[in-house]
Amino acid sequence: MGGSKERLWYLLNRMRKKKVISEHDHSTELKRCLTTTHLTFMGVGCTVGVGIYVLVGVAAKEYAGPGVLLSFLLAGLVTVINAICFAEFGARIPKTGASYTYVYESACELLAFLVGWMALVGYITSGAIAARAWSGYLDSLFNNNVHESTVQALGKVTLGPPFSESLDFLACAYEIVVIIIISLGVQASAFISTLLAGVSVCVLLFVTIMGLVIGDFRNITNTEHGGFLPYGIGGVLAGTAACFYAFQGFDIICMSAEECKTPSKSIPRAIFSELLIVTLLYVGSSCGLILLVPYSKIDVRAPLPSAFAYKHIEWAKYVVSIGPTLGISNLNILNLYNLSRHVYCMSSDGLFMKAFLKVNRTTKVPVRATVVMGLLVSLFALLFDISNLVSFNVISIFLSFVISNGILLLSRKEERNVRSGCSENRNVSSDEQPLLSSDDRVSEPRTGFSGLADRIGLLYLVCLVVFTSLGLGLQLVSGTDDLLHGRALAFVCLGLLLGLIVFLTALMATQTGPAKHSGFRMPLVPYLPVLSIVINIVLLAAAANVTGVVGYIILVALGFGIYVALVLFPSSSSGQNSSSGNVEGKREEETSLMNARDDDCD
């Protein structure tokens, strides 16, 4: 490549490029064999894991008390709103990659890489969380003898956060087993996942029924220790942010698009079926837990087994200990499945190392991506502590949903402009059409309310909603006491922020149009996407801490450095400039945002 100036221009042009994907393009190196049922149970298996078996104890004891029931309901509602956005993208884009691919197709390469990079780190940390939770539950069956023996033999690690005080060899060894399972092929993984998901569902139903039969309903009313909401509304919101993590997992359905027989139909159906099943299970089992044991006496390390131990029902303690162990086993399997497909997708786009493009001819599995990423997860599980990993993961999840909903709004703007331009061209005779330039296809300038929206632009409107929502979240989290005590200034600030969001949404309504593609489409645009953005940012403000935010900023900066290296030095880092013979599963050629917009009309 030429001098520094040419390199800079090349980098800037690459940052603005996007990937063109046809909704009818079903070509893939992977094997299409999954049905709606497979996807639904894979989603259930990937969702029902650490969240309900570990974090339910933390959410109930430290954040919401019996109000954890409301936290789960609110978290489920927010997840459904987010899932509608993913359902539209999944129906329109039949490729693996989930949010990374959706951003790459609708926005630009730089933002797509950063989303993909943070998702990659998120999958690794999620795998480590699941592996450590699995070892903790299994060890609880043996009175924590494994943990104590490790500490006695090797001593404690004194490096401080985010490192754990003890090495978890059990979690590390289990991740090696997961690598072998994933390498067997997607059909074997799907069968094992369905089996383990069935066991998890039965265990949660067991907890719900036992709580209703032998539980104490005074634990719900909690009249002696602060009532149903001992930590107030702020506690419920903080608990919602914690419970929100327990609903994450439906993205595996989108990640399986290239291995699904009919992605445009199966992905939306599987997403909504999975979320309905999971929400009912979570609300029921959390209710059962509170009925069995007062929230202040919950053991956060193993909340469900300790609840039955509190009731002196030892056989039930072992039943629910085996269930979470199998459920978290399933989560670990599906997390590595997600991670390997994500790395394969980024590598095939030239945005990661080309070595990960190797696909086994027999199993149709990206073997190198599976093995290398699995070993990295096992290393994280060996060294790092769960609590420090969860904080970062929650921030990553919330921001991913904010970006996805923002991108959906911007994609509706593009489709509206293209539709307007094309419709105007149809009213012009064939002799005149070649004389029209792209500028001639733009409609006449509007005045009044719509004209104000045109002058601001949809991109700036979305950014304004994001920053206003951040202010709203900070006001709700830090000013909850002022609101509860009826202080006028707090209500004025809250009213102004809500009013500004409503005004910005009304402006957006003049900028967006119906989706042009076939298949499932998100209703009530821009209202539902804006609602999703607001809720996610408010929950992010409730869940974030300084350590997590600083760590996230550092990782984004590191990701940007990696992206620059991949673009400017492709021969040593990625397969962007490799020949088709050396790069398997090469994606479609990228093009710029403006060229893609013009091609839709031509």
Side-chain angles (χ1 to χ4, degrees), residues 540-554:
L540 174 62
N545 54 51
V546 176
T547 303
V549 172
V550 172
Y552 193 90
I553 293 173
I554 292 173

Side-chain angles (χ1 to χ4, degrees), residues 1 158 232 250 395 432 575 577:
M1 197 175 290
T158 58
F250 67 82
I395 295 175
E432 293 175 306
N577 294 334

Side-chain angles (χ1 to χ4, degrees), residues 117-126 129 245 380 386-399 540 543-545 547-556:
W117 164 252
M118 299 313 296
L120 173 64
V121 177
Y123 285 132
I124 293 173
T125 55
S126 293
I129 291 170
Y245 180 79
F380 268 63
I386 284 181
S387 60
N388 292 294
L389 296 177
V390 169
S391 175
F392 160 78
N393 245 25
V394 169
I395 295 175
S396 182
I397 289 169
F398 283 131
L399 288 181
L540 174 62
N545 54 51
T547 303
V549 172
V550 172
Y552 193 90
I553 293 173
I554 292 173
L555 285 171
V556 169

